[in-house]
């Protein structure tokens, strides 16, 4: 029997644009050898990728690399949303990198090329239709970050953070690939929809095989590393604190979003909820609780944001954990849980980017995030930057007027209640109260009696901070739009 594979180049356009950006950055850096031209090409490529992804997504769902009913590339509304957000995050991080690049602490060409490569992985990740494409895209997103973390010249902390990140990430990837290999041995397929059909037809009989249960557990555990879920979180605080601030921002936003998308894809379409649900519910409780409790004790700004990011990952995982219960396996509850997880991740990365942008604006170009005491009175010296920082913190805490963060937490709680997981909704609510302590403490520090004199914020950083804050505010007033796209 002959098989004909279809190829739709329109569906692949966003990936072409992202990969083309990486190639153009290399050529411009080689031929022009001008930092401004290299950064401009990277920024235009990221903007073009976001626009292309939005246009292709608006044209409707598309499939390619199909053999029969099985497709390796599925361009849906959710894939378009992920690609647009990843591209905009890359553009924002380039803006945050202005002071670092002007200080000549990192090579401009390599820096922009690695960011463009990571963006390519993120764009492909949202459309992955099989486990191989998913893992390769996730590693394409992650691998450049190993180098970016340690790229700063003369930074021992950066080198140590890069090695830590690399070693732990390689172990996690190995676990994921082992789980994928075992899934193939059990089911004979790696396409996500085919895996879901196999588990749906075979039901509990297939899960009676120890190999199948081990395979599912390994895939979930490997992907949990990417979102820094407890107990796979230990790399995050040290890596964020040792990396250059813009790279830490990218790790906390684009890399985290990529992990969420990968985990959501296998949980929603491939793996049985009866196995993944209890595991994800336990991970969600541990992650949000440990993240919030340890964040209370932090005195360094980036470490506080890192532990906050760990806690936020728990909120993202919570709706997926609700699928363990009978009510969570209904079609409406599943759709609500998946949409809530994606929507929360989108709102979180915008607020997190705004928070990191404010830290970059308030710290010296070559410095790290410093301590909380270093930011004392910063909002008095720089009212607009300090106000945006406080708004981002309030949004992460889930308080008004940070409508984006408030809506995100309400959406998660509503999805948990719809999935008959009231106990998990209570845990989310209690952890949100704990999180108020360190978010509001940092916000209050910004308006306290001034301490050390802060550096003058760079113009590109202020623009990125303003755009990220504005997007979070605007989307906070139109939350249903994000939910509708995330549900597709």
């Amino acid at each position: 029997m002959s098989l004909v594979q279809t190829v739709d180049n329109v569906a692949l356009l966003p990936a072409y644009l992202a990969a083309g950006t990486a190639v153009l950055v290399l050529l411009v850096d080689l031929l022009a050898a001008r930092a401004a031209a290299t950064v401009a090409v990277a920024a235009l490529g990221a903007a073009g990728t976001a626009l292309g992804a939005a246009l292709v997504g608006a044209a409707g769902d598309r499939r390619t690399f199909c053999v029969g009913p099985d497709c390796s590339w599925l361009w849906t509304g959710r894939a378009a949303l992920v690609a647009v957000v990843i591209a905009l995050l890359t553009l924002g991080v380039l803006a945050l990198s202005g002071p670092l690049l002007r200080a000549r602490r990192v090579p401009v060409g390599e820096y922009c090329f690695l960011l463009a490569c990571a963006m390519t992985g993120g764009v492909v990740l949202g459309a992955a239709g099989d486990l191989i494409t998913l893992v390769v895209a996730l590693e394409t997103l992650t691998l450049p970050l190993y180098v970016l973390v340690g790229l700063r010249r003369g930074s021992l902390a950066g080198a140590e953070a890069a090695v830590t990140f690399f070693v732990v990430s390689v172990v996690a990837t190995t676990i994921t690939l082992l789980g994928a290999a075992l899934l193939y041995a059990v089911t004979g397929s790696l396409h996500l929809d085919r895996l879901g059909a196999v588990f749906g037809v075979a039901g509990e009989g297939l899960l009676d095989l120890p190999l199948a249960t081990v395979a599912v557990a390994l895939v979930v555990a490997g992907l949990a590393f990417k979102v820094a879920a407890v107990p796979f979180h230990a790399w995050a605080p040290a890596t964020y604190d040792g990396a250059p601030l813009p790279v830490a921002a990218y790790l906390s936003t684009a890399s985290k979003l990529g992990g969420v998308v990968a985990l959501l894809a296998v949980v929603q379409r491939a793996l049985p909820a009866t196995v993944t649900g209890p595991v994800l519910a336990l991970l969600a409780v541990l992650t949000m609780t440990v993240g919030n409790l340890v964040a209370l004790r932090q005195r360094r700004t980036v470490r506080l944001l890192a532990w906050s990011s760990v806690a936020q990952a728990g909120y993202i995982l919570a709706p997926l954990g609700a699928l363990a219960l009978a009510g969570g396996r209904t079609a409406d509850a599943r759709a609500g849980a998946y949409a809530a997880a994606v929507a929360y991740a989108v709102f979180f990365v915008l607020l997190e980017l705004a928070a990191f942008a404010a830290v970059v604006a308030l710290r010296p170009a070559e410095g790290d995030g410093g301590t909380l005491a270093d930011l004392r009175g910063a909002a008095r010296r720089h009212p607009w930057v300090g106000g945006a920082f406080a708004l981002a913190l309030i949004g992460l805490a889930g308080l008004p007027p940070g409508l984006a963060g408030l809506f995100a937490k309400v959406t998660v709680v509503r999805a948990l209640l719809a999935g008959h997981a009231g106990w998990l909704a209570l845990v989310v609510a209690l952890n949100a109260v704990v999180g108020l302590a360190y978010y509001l403490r940092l916000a209050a520090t910004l308006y306290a009696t001034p301490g050390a004199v802060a550096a003058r914020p760079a113009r590109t950083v202020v623009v990125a901070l303003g755009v990220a804050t504005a997007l979070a505010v605007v989307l906070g007033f139109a939350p249903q739009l994000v939910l509708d796209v995330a549900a597709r």
Side-chain angles (χ1 to χ4, degrees):
M1 181 179 66
S2 61
L3 296 176
V4 178
Q5 186 177 72
T6 63
V7 178
D8 183 353
N9 287 302
V10 175
L12 294 169
L13 179 62
Y16 292 156
L17 291 171
T21 299
V23 175
L24 280 177
V25 165
L26 275 183
L27 293 176
V28 171
D29 184 56
L30 176 65
L31 300 176
R34 295 180 59 186
T38 303
V39 174
V41 168
L44 289 174
T49 301
L51 179 60
L55 291 176
V56 176
D61 296 352
R62 307 183 78 98
R63 294 169 171 246
T64 190
F65 294 137
C66 298
V67 178
D70 299 324
C71 298
S72 294
W73 183 275
L74 307 170
W75 193 260
T76 62
R78 184 183 299 172
L81 175 64
V82 171
V84 169
V85 173
I86 290 287
L88 292 179
L89 289 174
T90 305
L91 187 61
V93 169
L94 279 170
L96 299 189
S97 304
L100 180 68
L101 297 177
R102 283 194 293 272
R104 299 292 182 179
R105 294 294 303 277
V106 298
V108 176
E110 289 86 340
Y111 187 88
C112 294
F113 169 72
L114 291 168
L115 276 179
C117 288
M119 176 179 69
T120 303
V123 169
V124 174
L125 181 62
D130 62 66
L131 274 177
I132 297 301
T133 304
L134 187 82
V135 173
V136 170
L138 191 57
E139 288 309 300
T140 305
L141 171 61
T142 306
L143 279 172
L145 300 179
Y146 305 153
V147 184
L148 285 171
V149 168
L151 196 61
R152 187 168 45 184
R153 296 187 179 100
S155 174
L156 180 60
E160 292 175 347
V163 171
T164 300
F165 185 28
F166 173 75
V167 171
V168 181
S169 183
V170 165
V171 173
T173 302
T174 304
I175 291 173
T176 305
L177 289 174
L178 177 59
L182 295 179
L183 276 177
Y184 183 77
V186 172
T187 64
S189 178
L190 288 174
H191 285 88
L192 299 179
D193 291 333
R194 177 64 66 87
L195 286 170
V198 170
F199 278 110
V201 171
E204 299 297 332
L206 186 60
L207 294 177
D208 287 338
L209 296 175
L211 192 61
T213 304
V214 171
V216 172
L218 288 176
V219 170
V220 172
L223 295 179
F225 161 84
K226 301 297 182 180
V227 298
V230 175
F232 313 103
H233 68 290
W235 61 274
T239 301
Y240 288 16
D241 204 21
L245 284 174
V247 177
Y250 203 72
L251 272 170
S252 185
T253 54
S255 179
K256 180 67 65 74
L257 179 61
V260 170
V261 170
L263 192 57
L264 181 65
V266 297
V267 170
Q268 178 183 10
R269 295 162 53 193
L271 305 183
T274 53
V275 176
T276 60
V279 173
L280 291 174
L282 177 61
L283 287 180
V285 172
L286 290 175
T287 301
M288 68 179 81
T289 304
V290 172
N292 280 320
L293 291 179
V294 180
L296 290 172
R297 303 176 58 243
Q298 300 305 307
R299 293 296 179 266
R300 291 188 60 79
T301 307
V302 172
R303 282 186 175 268
L304 185 146
L305 291 176
W307 283 106
S308 158
S309 177
V310 171
Q312 299 288 345
Y315 301 137
I316 296 171
L317 294 177
L320 305 182
L323 300 180
L325 302 180
R329 291 197 294 271
T330 64
D332 289 342
R334 279 201 306 270
Y338 300 142
V342 174
Y344 194 102
V346 169
F347 285 124
F348 160 71
V349 297
L350 289 175
L351 293 167
E352 189 81 351
L353 181 66
F356 270 99
V359 175
V360 173
L362 297 172
R363 295 291 297 157
E366 300 183 31
D368 56 15
T371 65
L372 300 184
D374 295 330
L375 296 177
R376 187 177 183 85
R380 294 173 180 262
R381 294 185 296 271
H382 305 292
W384 290 105
V385 174
F389 194 6
L391 182 61
L393 293 171
I394 290 171
L396 288 170
L399 291 177
L403 295 180
L406 176 63
F407 162 76
K409 284 189 169 56
V410 169
T411 300
V412 166
V413 171
R414 187 171 59 186
L416 293 175
L417 294 177
H420 297 181
W423 66 272
L424 195 50
L426 179 61
V427 174
V428 168
L430 292 175
N431 273 279
V433 173
V434 174
L436 294 178
Y438 57 85
Y439 285 125
L440 295 182
R441 182 185 66 191
L442 179 53
T445 300
L446 296 174
Y447 289 92
T449 303
V453 177
R456 183 178 179 180
R459 186 175 302 174
T460 57
V461 177
V462 173
V463 170
L465 173 61
V467 171
T469 306
L471 277 175
V473 171
V474 170
L475 290 177
F477 282 102
Q480 195 59 41
L481 174 65
V482 180
L483 268 179
D484 291 342
V485 176
R488 284 177 52 192

